[in-house]
Amino acid sequence: MCGIAGLFHPGTPKPVEPQRIARMIDALAHRGPDGEGIWTAPGVGLGHRRLSIIDLAGSPQPMHGADGTLSLLFNGCIYNYRELRAELADRWVFRSDGDTEVLLAAWAAWGPAMLDRLDGMFALALHDARTQSLFLARDRLGVKPLHYAELADGSVAFASELKGLLAHPLLRREPDLSAVEDFLAWGYVPDDNCIVAGVKKLAAGHYLHLRRGHPVPMPTRWWQVSFADRAKGSARDLEAELLDRLRTAVRSRLVADVPLGAFLSGGVDSSAVVALMAEASARAVKTCTIGFDEAGHDERAYADLVAQRFHTEHRTRVVRSDDLALVDTLVHAFDEPFADASALATYQVSALARESVTVALSGDGADEAFAGYRRQRFQATEERVRALMPGPLRRTAGALGSVYPKADWAPRPLRARTTLLALAADGDEAYARAVGVTPPEVRARLFSAGARRHLAGYRAEDRWIAAMRAAPARDPLDRAQYADLTRWLPGGMLTKVDRTSMAVGLEAREPLLDHRLVQFAATLPVSMRIRGGQGKWLMKRALEPFLPREILYRPKMGFVTPVGAWFRGALADEAAALSRSKTLAETGWFDLPVLERLAHDHRAGRAEHGRTLWQFLMLERSLKQLFG
């Protein structure tokens, strides 16, 4: 795992100052504390910060081919590098033992088509002097990030994180209001937008091929998950195939020349990873868990049960659920505003893991791939009900919902207003709203008249809905999962894990996002994803020989953070201060008296606006950091 950055001039091959590359990679030093490297040539500069995982003494970067025509930066890990190395041995004389040089050999043999052969997580930049080109690529599901921007001198700058680009003096720091609209809708800025105007994120499963003498092209999609086909076979046969794929995914991610362990929350997904690691490992698996001082948010008992079952070397640390000292640390780590408050716990468990290991396997991705989220189950049920309701009845449901009192405190099945409005809406629209944080009608009230004019009708939900409608899918659940995998996963979940783990110099790996496993899950019949009110039905059934029922079938908890309670307690003063924020006021984007009333109603217990207030807290601090 590393940090990469560089410059390429598609026009005239102007000189690149090594000092500029040095400033860019210095901003990424946390991603690679074990070494650095810089290389420049006319029209190109590459910089690297290294976290040593494989071939510790070798594989320096930027890495060059023997004849000097190929130069590579690479962040991530290629799990099948040994198999590829054997396949390429008669075409390339290898001088190192790691996965980096395999990518050089693969490019020489196959060019961009090499991507189809890679099993791994990666963001890479490869300069080919023979064709005067720079090839940027990102892994299939977006585990590793890559940002880029066209600068005023005609060059294209790229970096693992936004802060790497911000270190370049020619990048203009101007905010993009549409990214604020996206952030308030989702709690993160998705991969098709950026809080800094002009900065782009290379999308998951895409590459960008820059050629000298040619304008900067649009990125090319090289992979996407498809729900268009259905697997054939009995539940027993598909269960066996699923278990085999799970084993393969976990075992392939155990390759490392440094200590390796796992996050263990006591939930199904992390417990499954630990179970299969224990099966494949001769030594005890190193596991770590964060516990909370509030019983309602603490999963230590379940994590201890799994740790004892598989005799892991288990470490636990208890933290206060309202310990907010890390807020500014997270603002720095994420650059863009990021309002998933569970990032606090993810950072803490990463820091705990880093004390004993350099690589940690996580259970992320199974909910998206196997339909484990409650919202997905609601969507599947509501779509069946919508299909049975004639238009007039759905309109009546919407009218009732519009006047029904809100019950934010209740579980969703008991929130009649939410259910009635969802049934009245188009299914894709309803799902986009279910995923969101602050709904569009509340955002409209919070934005100033000037901001609404500037947005000119731009609405965050529209891109989510477009993704669902363009999905290669057969069923409404397919469309929902496709949007989760292509929008929420790279922009939200994987951004959270990457930034928090890299902030402490830890490599996180996600075996449940093995692309072959994800594609297999996408072919499962709906009845094998959701059955009897249970998501991940086939996955849980396949894991019954490994995990007790109290792990497999208990209610999902996750890293829950009580932000609503914070703004009535430890953060009550912060909530009141937001409406007086100079940073927010100077943007001119917000109707601050509306924000003041929202905060007052929340503190008084008349409404639940905790997540929206947390968004504004993180937005205010991010704007202050980015734009002064």
Side-chain angles (χ1 to χ4, degrees):
M1 201 72 72
C2 308
I4 64 174
L7 292 167
F8 180 74
H9 286 272
T12 304
K14 301 176 183 177
V16 174
E17 299 175 13
Q19 295 85 354
R20 287 195 171 177
I21 305 297
R23 285 195 292 270
M24 294 173 74
I25 63 169
D26 284 349
L28 306 173
H30 55 285
R31 298 185 71 93
D34 297 330
E36 66 178 76
I38 293 172
W39 170 79
T40 63
V44 63
L46 304 177
H48 183 260
R49 292 291 309 215
R50 185 180 188 193
L51 176 63
S52 300
I53 303 294
I54 295 174
D55 190 20
L56 304 185
S59 299
Q61 294 188 45
M63 180 175 280
H64 309 283
D67 64 0
T69 60
L70 300 180
S71 302
L72 174 71
L73 295 176
F74 162 53
N75 168 31
C77 185
I78 305 302
Y79 305 122
N80 64 334
Y81 79 94
R82 291 190 179 109
E83 294 85 346
L84 291 173
R85 181 188 177 105
E87 186 177 354
L88 292 162
D90 61 348
R91 307 191 196 189
W92 185 274
V93 178
F94 286 92
R95 298 174 294 163
S96 63
D97 296 325
D99 51 352
T100 304
E101 190 177 6
V102 170
L103 291 172
L104 285 174
W107 177 266
W110 303 310
M114 75 172 186
L115 296 173
D116 295 324
R117 298 171 180 256
L118 302 182
D119 173 18
M121 56 178 185
F122 55 86
L124 62 86
L126 192 150
H127 180 256
D128 191 332
R130 299 167 302 181
T131 58
Q132 290 292 289
S133 66
L134 182 74
F135 184 74
L136 304 175
R138 192 174 177 200
D139 63 66
R140 293 171 179 85
L141 289 152
V143 178
K144 293 290 98 192
L146 192 60
H147 300 67
Y148 68 99
E150 297 180 57
L151 304 180
D153 65 352
S155 65
V156 175
F158 65 89
S160 296
E161 297 179 20
L162 179 57
K163 58 176 61 70
L165 295 182
L166 293 171
H168 196 292
L170 292 184
L171 184 74
R172 295 178 63 185
R173 293 198 185 202
E174 293 187 1
D176 189 325
L177 182 57
S178 69
V180 177
E181 157 72 1
D182 283 337
F183 168 71
L184 291 178
W186 312 120
Y188 60 92
V189 180
D191 275 8
D192 54 8
N193 213 339
C194 184
I195 192 69
V196 178
V199 173
K200 298 179 174 65
K201 303 162 192 168
L202 187 60
H206 283 67
Y207 67 76
L208 181 67
H209 203 169
L210 303 169
R211 295 177 174 86
R212 182 144 299 128
H214 296 270
V216 177
M218 294 293 292
T220 299
R221 170 178 273 162
W222 65 272
W223 187 87
Q224 73 170 332
V225 65
S226 174
F227 289 80
D229 300 317
R230 287 289 183 261
K232 295 179 172 60
S234 67
R236 184 181 298 276
D237 290 341
L238 293 174
E239 177 188 330
E241 182 175 355
L242 171 55
L243 185 56
D244 181 64
R245 290 181 181 275
L246 286 169
R247 283 188 168 116
T248 299
V250 169
R251 291 180 181 185
S252 68
R253 282 155 178 78
L254 299 181
V255 55
D257 296 329
V258 293
L260 180 147
F263 301 142
L264 178 58
S265 70
V268 173
D269 306 331
S270 65
S271 299
V273 170
V274 168
L276 296 175
M277 287 176 71
E279 180 186 66
S281 304
R283 298 178 181 176
V285 177
K286 298 178 184 290
T287 56
C288 59
T289 298
I290 287 293
F292 295 101
D293 60 353
E294 291 186 19
H297 302 105
D298 190 25
E299 296 186 282
R300 276 178 296 161
Y302 298 107
D304 289 346
L305 180 65
V306 175
Q308 292 165 12
R309 185 182 184 94
F310 297 104
H311 305 285
T312 72
E313 292 183 20
H314 190 53
R315 301 177 70 232
T316 300
R317 180 166 296 159
V318 179
V319 298
R320 287 177 54 87
S321 60
D322 62 350
D323 182 0
L324 303 172
L326 291 174
V327 169
D328 288 333
T329 299
L330 293 184
V331 170
H332 176 74
F334 284 92
D335 296 322
E336 294 188 279
F338 190 86
D340 182 348
S342 69
L344 292 163
T346 308
Y347 178 91
Q348 289 165 317
V349 77
S350 296
L352 176 62
R354 189 63 179 92
E355 294 174 5
S356 57
V357 301
T358 312
V359 177
L361 273 61
S362 82
D364 297 310
D367 288 321
E368 291 82 2
F370 290 92
Y373 288 125
R374 186 177 64 171
R375 66 176 184 250
Q376 295 162 338
R377 301 198 299 276
F378 286 149
Q379 173 74 355
T381 301
E382 289 169 359
E383 283 285 62
R384 288 195 296 271
V385 175
R386 286 187 194 100
L388 298 174
M389 294 175 68
L393 184 56
R394 289 179 61 188
R395 287 191 291 273
T396 300
L400 288 171
S402 65
V403 299
Y404 203 92
K406 292 189 70 175
D408 292 332
W409 50 269
R412 180 168 172 179
L414 300 180
R415 296 182 216 159
R417 176 186 174 91
T418 301
T419 302
L420 290 169
L421 290 174
L423 291 174
D426 168 83
D428 299 339
E429 171 82 28
Y431 192 68
R433 292 176 68 98
V435 174
V437 180
T438 300
E441 60 273 11
V442 177
R443 301 198 305 272
R445 286 168 39 216
L446 286 164
F447 278 125
S448 66
R452 292 195 297 272
R453 285 193 299 272
H454 185 86
L455 287 169
Y458 177 82
R459 193 180 72 122
E461 287 82 2
D462 292 338
R463 292 190 187 181
W464 187 287
I465 293 166
M468 292 183 70
R469 292 177 179 170
R474 306 172 106 188
D475 184 90
L477 178 63
D478 297 342
R479 294 198 300 272
Q481 287 186 252
Y482 179 84
D484 282 331
L485 283 163
T486 58
R487 295 193 65 80
W488 152 245
L489 183 72
M493 175 66 75
L494 292 177
T495 295
K496 176 181 71 174
V497 176
D498 176 80
R499 301 305 191 278
T500 53
S501 61
M502 282 283 89
V504 298
L506 177 76
E507 174 169 300
R509 297 178 179 176
E510 291 81 11
L512 303 183
L513 286 176
D514 180 287
H515 70 277
R516 294 157 300 191
L517 178 63
V518 170
Q519 183 54 63
F520 170 76
T523 67
L524 291 175
V526 170
S527 63
M528 294 192 191
R529 286 175 262 162
I530 296 177
R531 185 179 298 188
Q534 285 282 337
K536 297 187 289 196
W537 179 80
L538 189 68
M539 179 180 173
K540 291 177 180 178
R541 175 168 154 158
L543 292 169
E544 284 181 353
F546 297 87
L547 299 172
R549 295 186 67 83
E550 59 191 299
I551 296 294
L552 288 171
Y553 297 107
R554 71 183 179 91
K556 184 177 178 62
M557 184 180 293
F559 279 151
V560 179
T561 43
V563 292
W566 292 348
F567 284 107
R568 296 186 183 104
L571 290 178
D573 291 341
E574 293 275 5
L578 284 170
S579 63
R580 302 189 299 272
S581 164
K582 180 182 177 183
T583 299
L584 294 179
E586 287 179 346
T587 66
W589 294 336
F590 303 109
D591 189 334
L592 293 179
V594 172
L595 179 59
E596 183 179 26
R597 289 194 297 274
L598 184 145
H600 185 269
D601 288 347
H602 178 84
R603 294 196 313 274
R606 288 192 292 269
E608 177 52 57
H609 295 302
R611 294 178 71 194
T612 298
L613 292 171
W614 182 256
Q615 285 182 300
F616 271 90
L617 177 67
M618 300 305 285
L619 175 63
E620 192 240 10
R621 297 197 181 187
S622 294
L623 291 175
K624 192 178 297 183
Q625 173 182 280
L626 290 169
F627 307 109

